[in-house]
Amino acid sequence: LQLVVECSIDIEAELLIREQRSNTNISKSVQLKHGDNTLTHRIHIDHPELWWPVGHGDQNLYEFQIGLEAESGKQNLTKRIGLRDFKVVQKKDDQGAGFSFVVNNKPIFAKGANWIPADFFTTRLKKQDYLSLLKSAVSANMNTLRVWGGGIYESDDFYDLCDEMGILVWQDFMFACSLYPGDEDFLKSVEKEAKYQVDRLKHHPSIILWCGNNEIATAWHNWGWKEKYPERVYKKDYKNLFHEVLPSVCRELDPNRLYWPSSPGDSNKLPKTGQNYGSGDNHFWDVWHGGKDFHAFEKNIGRFMSEYGMQSFPDLQTVDLFCDEEQQDLDSKIIKSHQKAPLGNPKVEKYVDMYFPKPKNFRAFVITSQIMAGEAIKHAVEAHRRAMPYCMGSLYWQLNDCWPVASWSSLDYYGNWKALHYYAKEFFGPVLVTVLEKNGKTCFFVVNDGNSFDQAELELKLIKFDGELIGSEKIEIAIPANSSSEVYKITTSALLKGAEPNNVLLRSTVTVAGKKISGNDYTFVRPKDLKLPEQDFSYEYKKEKGKHIIYLEAHSFIYKMHILCTNDSGKFSKNFFEMVPGDLVKIEYHPSDNFIKEHKTKSLNFKCDSLFGLIN
C-alpha cells in the first residue's frame, strides 16, 4: 500500500487499514511533515481470491478502508482493488510477435468493441447510463472494451463497473487522429494530465494497458502526412510525446502495466512504416472505407484486431424521435444531417446493394442496413476467432453512440440493440462453431474460450427451404481448452448432394451431454441470391409468471426473422435468426425500466418480419 498525504503542519498520526474479506486490521503510528508525505505498508493476504475477466472466473474485489487520525482531526479513504496477475505476452515467432492478454497465467481471447463517450454532453451521464451499456456488453459475451483516444477519460463509475463486471479495459490516452504540439509548455501540460489520470485509475484491476494514441503513427506513414510536414514533427515532437513523456509517467507511477505507444502498432519502438500484420495490434478498414467485400476480413488477420467496422442505421424508434416519417428518406436533409461520415449513406447503400435485395422503403432499408452490418462483423469475428491463437483479440468499432445517428455502433444512442448486437451475442459466445468454404471444401471449426470438453458432438443438417432434410451427420469431437480446431471438412459438392446452393440452409450444432452449447446457420450464397419463399409463420405473445414470451412457429423458410416491439425499447433473448419449416422458437422479451415503472398493466405490441417482408 502506498499513500500520499498532504499535510499543512508537522504532526503525529495513527494510520488505520481495515479490510474485512482478508481479515486485515492494521494500526501504526506515523510522523507526518509539512508538505507531501509518502507512506508505504506491505500487506500480506494468504490464499487471495483472484479477480478474473467475465467468463473466466469471479470478480473478487477487496475493499480497503484507510484512515488517518490525529489530534487535529481525521480523514478516511476507501479503495477497492482486485488481485490478479496480468501480462501482455508478445512472444516472437516466425511470423512476427504475438499480442495476447494473459490473466492469472490463462490466455484470454479479447472479445468486445471500442467505447466512445456515451453522450455528446458528458456531464449528463449518470452511473445508471454506464450500467445499462456495460450490461449490454456483457450480455453479448464481451469481455473487453477499448476506451478510444478521441473521447474522454471516463468517470470513476465506468471503471468501478468494469471492475465489478469483469470487463477488461484497453485505455488510450486522449490523443487521436491528429498531430500535436511538441513545445515544452505543452509537454509539461500533458505530463501533468497523464500523472493525474494514471494515479486516479491505476488501482483498477480492469485496466489492462495504457496506449499513447489512436492511429497517429500509422497516419504519419499512410495518410500523406510525412509528405506534407517536416520530418522533425514525427521524429522529434511525436517521439517526445509518445515515446518519452507518456511512457516515463507510466514507468514512474504504474510500471507493471504495458505502455503501448500507438494503436495500431507493432512494437514499443518508433515505427518506420505503417502497421504490420505480423505483430502487435491492427486496425482494418479496407471493408467500409476501402469498399472491399466481407471476405477481405478473412485475408487480413493480425495478432490482435483492435478496430474494424461497418455502419448501419439506428433503431426505428430512435429514427422516429429525430425525423417525422414523411421525411424519412436517404435524400432528406434531416437524415443526411444524422450521418457525419463522408459519403456515409452512399456507402451503407453500396453494401446493402452488394449483399441484399433492394428494400421496399426507407424503414425496410434501416433494418436491412442493420442485418448487413451484422453479417459484415460476423465475417470478421469468426475469421479472427478461427485464427486463434495467432490472433488473440477482436474489438469492433464501435459499441455505443454519443447521439442518435447512423454509425458503426451495435447499441444506438438510447441503448437499443441493433441487429449487430444480437449477432455479437452469438459470435462472441464461449464456444463457437463456424463454417468456412475454401478450395472447394466446406470446413467446420469449433472455437473454445474456456475449459476443455473431452466428449462433444457436432451435428450437421442440410435443409431445403421447403423443409426437406437433404442430409445429416453426427461427428464425435473433443474440444480442447483455449483453442480453435478444424473438426471436419467435406467437399462442398458432396455436402450439397446436387441441391441448389441458393435453396438450402446448413445448420451446425455442438452439444455436450445432449445440451446445445453452440449453433450456427450458414447459407452458401449472398442473401440477395437466395431463393426466398413467401414467408409463412405464426406467433403468439403471452405473459407467463411475470415474463413476456413470444412463441414463433415457422411454416416456411425464414431468413433473418426479427421481432420489433413497437411501444417499448427493451431487449429480446434472441433476434435476427433463421427458421426452417417446423421450427418452434421461444423468445423472452425484457421490457425497459421505463415501461416497467409506467405501464405495469399495459400490454406490449410486437411485430415480426423477415428479409422477405423487407423486400416485398
Side-chain angles (χ1 to χ4, degrees), residues 67-125:
L68 274 173
E69 295 184 359
E71 288 183 2
S72 56
K74 59 183 179 180
Q75 190 157 3
N76 297 306
L77 173 71
T78 299
K79 281 287 183 181
R80 193 174 55 168
I81 65 168
L83 301 178
R84 49 89 174 127
D85 178 64
F86 185 86
K87 302 183 216 45
V88 180
V89 176
Q90 300 178 68
K91 186 177 180 181
K92 293 184 178 180
D93 54 34
D94 58 0
Q95 295 168 298
F99 196 91
S100 61
F101 301 158
V102 178
V103 181
N104 303 326
N105 294 317
K106 182 179 182 180
I108 305 292
F109 189 98
K111 303 180 298 186
N114 286 257
W115 172 278
I116 69 169
D119 197 299
F120 195 82
F121 297 97
T122 57
T123 54
R124 291 197 297 206
L125 290 168

Side-chain angles (χ1 to χ4, degrees), residues 15 66 82 105 122 146 161 167 206 213 291 368 480 482 524 538:
L15 173 63
I66 304 159
N105 294 317
T122 57
R146 173 178 174 246
L161 288 168
I167 300 171
S206 55
N213 69 74
T368 307
N482 300 310
F524 291 87
S538 55

Side-chain angles (χ1 to χ4, degrees), residues 212-225:
N213 69 74
N214 174 78
E215 293 187 345
I216 300 177
T218 193
W220 176 263
H221 291 289
N222 297 332
W223 295 5
W225 291 4

Side-chain angles (χ1 to χ4, degrees), residues 63 72 78 100 157 174 218 222-223 307 317 346 358 367 418-419 438 440 544 562 596 616:
E63 189 167 292
S72 56
T78 299
S100 61
D157 288 336
M174 292 301 116
T218 193
N222 297 332
W223 295 5
E307 249 197 55
Q317 292 190 76
K358 186 173 180 60
I367 297 172
K418 295 159 70 171
K438 60 179 181 180
E544 297 178 354
H562 54 272
I596 294 169
N616 290 284

Side-chain angles (χ1 to χ4, degrees), residues 185-323:
D185 286 345
F186 183 77
L187 294 179
K188 284 182 178 178
S189 172
V190 169
E191 182 181 34
K192 184 177 180 180
E193 176 182 297
K195 283 184 174 181
Y196 173 81
Q197 295 296 348
V198 173
D199 249 349
R200 176 174 77 96
L201 299 174
K202 65 183 181 182
H203 69 281
H204 288 284
S206 55
I207 295 180
I208 51 178
L209 62 81
W210 303 102
C211 180
N213 69 74
N214 174 78
E215 293 187 345
I216 300 177
T218 193
W220 176 263
H221 291 289
N222 297 332
W223 295 5
W225 291 4
K226 67 179 179 180
E227 290 79 23
K228 186 177 180 180
Y229 300 105
E231 192 175 38
R232 65 165 179 78
V233 172
Y234 182 64
K235 291 194 172 180
K236 182 175 179 291
D237 295 349
Y238 176 92
K239 184 180 178 183
N240 284 345
L241 179 53
F242 298 110
H243 289 263
E244 293 181 14
V245 172
L246 290 177
S248 175
V249 169
C250 291
R251 281 194 301 270
E252 176 189 349
L253 299 177
D254 195 19
N256 294 323
R257 279 190 181 93
L258 173 70
Y259 170 79
W260 193 240
S262 184
S263 178
D266 59 18
S267 75
N268 284 86
K269 297 178 180 178
L270 188 70
K272 295 181 180 179
T273 61
Q275 59 180 321
N276 173 6
Y277 274 83
S279 301
D281 76 304
N282 294 100
H283 297 188
F284 179 68
W285 285 104
D286 283 1
V287 179
W288 176 257
H289 287 300
K292 290 186 177 180
D293 71 18
F294 301 164
H295 291 294
F297 284 123
E298 298 159 13
K299 301 169 185 174
N300 295 272
I301 302 174
R303 312 310 286 263
F304 192 109
M305 302 301 294
S306 51
E307 249 197 55
Y308 56 91
M310 176 58 66
Q311 268 208 7
S312 65
F313 277 72
D315 188 85
L316 283 171
Q317 292 190 76
T318 296
V319 175
D320 288 339
L321 287 171
F322 66 76
C323 185

Side-chain angles (χ1 to χ4, degrees), residues 7-13 32 68-75:
C7 203
S8 58
I9 57 173
D10 293 348
I11 194 169
E12 185 177 350
L32 302 176
L68 274 173
E69 295 184 359
E71 288 183 2
S72 56
K74 59 183 179 180
Q75 190 157 3

Side-chain angles (χ1 to χ4, degrees), residues 1-40:
L1 171 74
Q2 186 177 77
L3 187 67
V4 178
V5 182
E6 184 180 345
C7 203
S8 58
I9 57 173
D10 293 348
I11 194 169
E12 185 177 350
E14 194 76 10
L15 173 63
L16 307 171
I17 305 170
R18 307 279 189 269
E19 206 290 315
Q20 186 174 6
R21 188 172 199 152
S22 60
N23 199 29
T24 299
N25 193 350
I26 297 167
S27 177
K28 61 181 287 191
S29 295
V30 293
Q31 191 67 43
L32 302 176
K33 296 181 179 180
H34 179 267
D36 287 344
N37 297 259
T38 300
L39 307 179
T40 59

